[in-house]
Amino acid sequence: MKRVNGSKQDKATNRSALNALYERALPAKRTGPLYGAFPYPTKISPEAIALYIASHTKPGDTVFDGFAGSGTTGLAALLCENPSDDLRAEADRLGLQVEWGARNAVLYELGALGSFVGKTLTNPPDPKSFRKAANKILSRAERDTGWMYEATDPDGNKGAIRHAVWSDLLRCPACRRKMTLWDACVSLDPASIDSAFHCPRCSHETGFDEVERLTEAVADDVTGDKTERRARKIARIYGVTGKTRWSRSPTKADMALLDRIADEPIPESVPNVLIPWGDLYRRGYHQGITRLHHFYTRRNLIVFARLWELAGGYEHGLRDALRFWLLSYNAAHATVMTRVVAKSGQKDLVVTSAQPGVLYISGLPVEKNLFAGLQRKLKTIAEAFSVIQGRAGKVEVHQASSCAVDLPDGSIDYVFTDPPFGGNIPYAEISFINEAWLGDYTDRADEIIVSNSQQKTLTEYRDLLTTALSEVRRILKPHGQATLVFHSTSAEVWNALQSAYTDAGLNVECAGVLDKTQGSFKQVTTSGAVRGDPVLLLGKNPAAEKAAAECVWTIAAQLSDAALTLDLSEQTPQRLYSRLVSHFLMKHQQVPLDADDFYRWHDAHHTAKAADFAGI
């Protein structure tokens, strides 16, 4: 049915509601089965995206995302059909004018992994059939290889390994004796990991840069060649007997088990592929890591390969869902990128997943029990499938470049997207571990990124992004709009984005902030990290003329002082930098300074204000 244009008053009301959506920071929680089903860098909660979609579209409309990642825009479109009570309540709290109902989505994702995840999650199988098949796979694999995780507790009772901590081997520069990194820097009760080397034999202390990391030459069963790798030794066993958890040092029985595992053949399903290292390669902790299987302990490589083989025995729909489940645990938990951290007040070290956005391997890598971990993951994924399965909206996922979209002109009602943030995260390189198991790899030629290894400068990044955003403009309907989420600490990256959407014929109509409750690893640890991603509403209307040049420090002071009357989250330097960026983009001016420069000014400004207040 053709929709009749509303009255001027209706349009004014809708504009007012949209302004409310962008004026305040929209929370994007990182919880729930849809968010937790698959780890993927920088993704946004589908519930938050659903609020944007529902506000900008009507039931039956089609949404496009040219940088779809793991498909959360598609999930968000599906959620609009029958939103949860929490989603409805958030829309009411924000005062949004929303007509709930099914929307459709077309997603383009260059990455092989992202498109696989998006296709599977937006078109899931029957959750009961999935659970049944997954449990059957776990049972069969555990029957074949469960002995690999057997262990006895400190009292000699039979139990199972929950996880084991391995340790790099070192040589003391003073006494020349060998030891584990664990012995040189870890203490328990309370738990701590010292940043300096302490020899337990001769008491020599120095920085780890002065300590030799030992290597060993070993036969590689997958390639048939010898390979040199970092020498490691198992340092601590964490297990469970019944419902009782325990930990202890390794025993002769543990060593005998590792010898038995060493005699087990590597399954033929293990991909024998070279790693196409790029910007994430580090000569130190990646020493000897040249092929996919080098990211695994022998035990976990055999177990994961057996599970992968069993999943391949099912028909297409269930097979993809089962592989989705296995890959959701693979890179983050099944490899030696899993790690331990010391948290204040804890008696023992805390196990955590691989650091998102990098391929870091700790000197204390963790080997997890895959059966226990996948059993827990199964529940989350089945719940996610249950949320989405049976919805009326249609989601198409294309593994293709956003620079060449096969859609007619003026066919899309609304766009929601978050393009790559300059050189922040090399998605193709990060996804390689999972893509190798799928046997399908990302074509990096059109990857929109700043990358030394790909010889793509900011100019190439800007040009590719301009092409992609030109496609966005082409496929949008005459009055269609695009919401773009972006994150960068670099003024020149922001200015490259501005140049790209301007040259593509798009214009900033409104700006806001998406408040992610927990940043990715790089957003948390990168110098000058920005908390809360700026959100730009782009339209096809001609851009207004640039406003008169403004003094950045005057604007910074105005924003900082105004925030004192607002919520504490608005007073953080990270949030203020996001607001500063939005201010200049709204004025069609270039962003004048990096986040680091702003933070230094912010510290000085508040120090001066505090001194004035104290009468100094």
Side-chain angles (χ1 to χ4, degrees):
M1 180 181 294
K2 184 177 180 180
R3 201 162 60 239
V4 179
N5 289 334
S7 66
K8 289 183 178 180
Q9 182 177 357
D10 290 337
K11 291 180 179 179
T13 301
N14 188 49
R15 279 197 300 270
S16 177
L18 284 178
N19 286 339
L21 179 63
Y22 289 88
E23 282 176 356
R24 65 186 80 180
L26 184 69
K29 297 180 180 179
R30 299 191 166 195
T31 56
L34 291 179
Y35 190 89
F38 202 101
Y40 200 85
T42 71
K43 66 182 177 181
I44 302 168
S45 73
E47 290 83 3
I49 301 174
L51 291 172
Y52 287 101
I53 292 175
S55 299
H56 284 281
T57 63
K58 298 293 183 183
D61 282 354
T62 300
V63 180
F64 176 79
D65 186 350
F67 303 98
S70 56
T72 48
T73 297
L75 295 175
L78 295 173
L79 289 179
C80 290
E81 177 186 351
N82 184 22
S84 65
D85 291 341
D86 287 344
L87 193 53
R88 289 178 183 271
E90 185 65 13
D92 291 341
R93 184 185 72 83
L94 293 170
L96 303 179
Q97 302 295 314
V98 171
E99 183 181 349
W100 297 109
R103 273 78 165 170
N104 305 308
V106 179
L107 310 181
Y108 269 56
E109 168 53 34
L110 183 67
L113 177 63
S115 59
F116 171 80
V117 172
K119 287 175 184 177
T120 306
L121 200 47
T122 57
N123 297 277
D126 172 63
K128 290 184 179 179
S129 299
F130 165 72
R131 270 185 177 271
K132 182 178 179 181
N135 280 316
K136 186 175 181 180
I137 283 176
L138 281 177
S139 179
R140 289 182 60 185
E142 196 161 9
R143 186 174 64 237
D144 295 340
T145 58
W147 59 269
M148 294 187 181
Y149 297 111
E150 289 179 355
T152 56
D153 65 20
D155 295 325
N157 301 310
K158 186 176 180 180
I161 295 172
R162 291 186 294 122
H163 63 270
V165 180
W166 289 75
S167 173
D168 284 1
L169 293 181
L170 313 175
R171 188 186 304 278
C172 175
C175 69
R176 307 301 295 166
R177 292 179 179 175
K178 296 179 184 180
M179 68 204 61
T180 63
L181 175 64
W182 176 283
D183 289 338
C185 70
V186 174
S187 58
L188 303 177
D189 197 14
S192 69
I193 301 176
D194 205 312
S195 59
F197 170 85
H198 302 269
C199 180
R201 308 287 179 81
C202 72
S203 301
H204 179 71
E205 296 187 12
T206 187
F208 277 106
D209 289 344
E210 305 298 321
V211 179
E212 178 187 359
R213 304 258 178 168
L214 301 183
T215 61
E216 60 183 359
V218 295
D220 190 324
D221 289 0
V222 176
T223 64
D225 299 325
K226 283 259 186 181
T227 185
E228 186 173 350
R229 66 185 185 188
R230 281 199 168 183
R232 295 191 181 104
K233 183 178 179 181
I234 201 161
R236 190 79 177 171
I237 303 290
Y238 294 80
V240 60
T241 302
K243 294 183 178 181
T244 303
R245 294 185 172 190
W246 47 265
S247 67
R248 56 167 174 75
S249 298
T251 64
K252 290 183 179 180
D254 298 319
M255 300 300 109
L257 178 63
L258 292 175
D259 289 340
R260 182 182 171 191
I261 292 170
D263 292 333
E264 283 291 303
I266 300 295
E268 294 183 359
S269 59
V270 172
N272 181 9
V273 290
L274 278 167
I275 302 168
W277 279 115
D279 299 305
L280 295 180
Y281 179 77
R282 299 294 181 269
R283 186 170 54 185
Y285 55 76
H286 287 144
Q287 185 177 12
I289 308 290
T290 60
R291 292 182 174 270
L292 170 74
H293 59 280
H294 296 159
F295 271 107
Y296 299 81
T297 62
R298 188 181 187 90
R299 171 165 36 206
N300 278 2
L301 182 64
I302 293 171
V303 172
F304 189 84
R306 178 58 179 147
L307 289 162
W308 192 259
E309 289 172 350
L310 292 170
Y314 286 81
E315 53 86 23
H316 176 71
L318 267 181
R319 182 178 68 241
D320 282 353
L322 292 167
R323 287 178 170 174
F324 173 98
W325 163 56
L326 294 177
L327 293 180
S328 75
Y329 198 74
N330 179 37
H333 298 280
T335 68
V336 292
M337 294 188 294
T338 311
R339 58 208 164 91
V340 285
V341 295
K343 293 189 175 181
S344 178
Q346 297 292 318
K347 291 184 176 181
D348 209 332
L349 301 179
V350 177
V351 179
T352 186
S353 63
Q355 291 174 344
V358 291
L359 295 174
Y360 171 69
I361 299 175
S362 163
L364 298 169
V366 174
E367 179 183 34
K368 289 186 176 181
N369 183 320
L370 299 191
F371 296 121
L374 284 165
Q375 187 66 62
R376 292 190 298 271
K377 192 71 179 181
L378 174 57
K379 180 177 182 293
T380 300
I381 292 176
E383 288 177 358
F385 287 170
S386 295
V387 171
I388 295 301
Q389 208 258 344
R391 291 183 181 249
K394 181 182 179 183
V395 177
E396 298 177 9
V397 181
H398 302 268
Q399 184 182 339
S401 170
S402 58
C403 294
V405 178
D406 188 18
L407 288 173
D409 295 0
S411 59
I412 294 295
D413 296 284
Y414 172 65
V415 172
F416 184 96
T417 194
D418 57 328
F421 310 148
N424 195 34
I425 295 179
Y427 290 90
E429 190 173 3
I430 288 168
S431 299
F432 171 79
I433 292 175
N434 280 333
E435 289 181 352
W437 288 96
L438 290 171
D440 188 11
Y441 302 94
T442 299
D443 180 357
R444 302 187 187 187
D446 279 345
E447 186 176 17
I448 300 178
I449 188 173
V450 178
S451 167
N452 290 329
S453 67
Q454 294 188 37
Q455 297 182 327
K456 290 178 181 175
T457 66
L458 195 64
T459 299
E460 282 76 27
Y461 169 79
R462 183 198 62 210
D463 291 347
L464 285 168
L465 190 54
T466 300
T467 302
L469 293 178
S470 296
E471 284 290 80
V472 165
R473 190 185 194 284
R474 179 184 65 80
I475 64 177
L476 270 175
K477 290 181 177 179
H479 299 291
Q481 295 172 305
T483 298
L484 187 148
V485 181
F486 202 78
H487 170 98
S488 181
T489 63
S490 167
E492 67 175 6
V493 172
W494 278 111
N495 295 329
L497 171 68
Q498 183 187 53
S499 175
Y501 65 67
T502 301
D503 291 349
L506 297 170
N507 168 51
V508 175
E509 297 182 354
C510 198
V513 170
L514 188 68
D515 185 10
K516 296 178 180 177
T517 57
Q518 177 186 348
S520 71
F521 176 70
K522 281 202 170 183
Q523 283 174 299
V524 171
T525 63
T526 299
S527 174
V530 178
R531 304 291 177 85
D533 295 350
V535 181
L536 306 177
L537 179 62
L538 304 177
K540 299 172 72 171
N541 295 325
E545 292 185 7
K546 288 185 179 180
E550 299 172 300
C551 174
V552 62
W553 308 120
T554 300
I555 300 303
Q558 290 173 355
L559 290 170
S560 182
D561 293 345
L564 295 176
T565 63
L566 303 175
D567 185 85
L568 287 176
S569 63
E570 288 291 333
Q571 300 174 28
T572 64
Q574 294 87 358
R575 178 64 55 78
L576 288 169
Y577 182 70
S578 292
R579 296 295 189 191
L580 184 80
V581 167
S582 297
H583 174 89
F584 281 95
L585 295 180
M586 280 289 294
K587 297 287 186 177
H588 312 291
Q589 297 179 6
Q590 289 204 327
V591 177
L593 75 166
D594 294 340
D596 277 336
D597 295 328
F598 176 80
Y599 297 157
R600 282 191 289 270
W601 169 87
H602 180 271
D603 289 344
H605 178 71
H606 275 259
T607 299
K609 295 280 284 188
D612 289 344
F613 183 78
I616 298 174

